[in-house]
Amino acid sequence: YRAVNVIASRGCLYNCAFCVSPVFYKGKLKVRNVERVVEEVEWILKEQGIEHIHFQDNDFLLKSRQWLNNFCMLVKERG
């Protein structure tokens, strides 16, 4: 199947000993605009014929609850 990676955020707020993220991101999390992420996903699925999307974020669920709710609502609205 055809798949593509999408990054909605980068970094991590934690300092786990087994992870390299603290070295690169220094405990910071940068999150993309939810509407832009959903627009990108929609474009990938409709215009590029991609069948699967994999979110490449270190931890997709570290974003705020509001961001996640908005993401889910927009995805649902756009089908």
Side-chain angles (χ1 to χ4, degrees):
Y1 58 86
R2 297 182 52 162
V4 69
N5 293 331
V6 171
I7 299 173
S9 67
R10 64 177 183 239
C12 182
L13 300 174
Y14 301 104
N15 192 20
C16 301
F18 58 83
C19 185
V20 73
S21 285
V23 174
F24 291 111
Y25 302 112
K26 313 237 184 293
K28 296 179 184 173
L29 180 67
K30 183 169 182 165
V31 180
R32 291 179 54 202
N33 179 290
V34 68
E35 293 166 357
R36 305 269 319 253
V37 173
V38 173
E39 287 173 4
E40 181 179 350
V41 167
E42 185 175 38
W43 178 78
I44 289 168
L45 294 173
K46 290 184 178 178
E47 302 297 327
Q48 301 302 311
I50 299 298
E51 299 168 355
H52 299 275
I53 292 178
H54 177 254
F55 284 93
Q56 196 66 36
D57 301 38
N58 285 340
D59 191 339
F60 190 78
L61 300 177
L62 281 180
K63 297 166 195 57
S64 72
R65 181 174 291 228
Q66 181 180 0
W67 192 98
L68 292 168
N69 286 337
N70 290 341
F71 176 82
C72 291
M73 283 184 0
L74 284 173
V75 168
K76 186 175 179 180
E77 284 175 10
R78 295 179 184 207

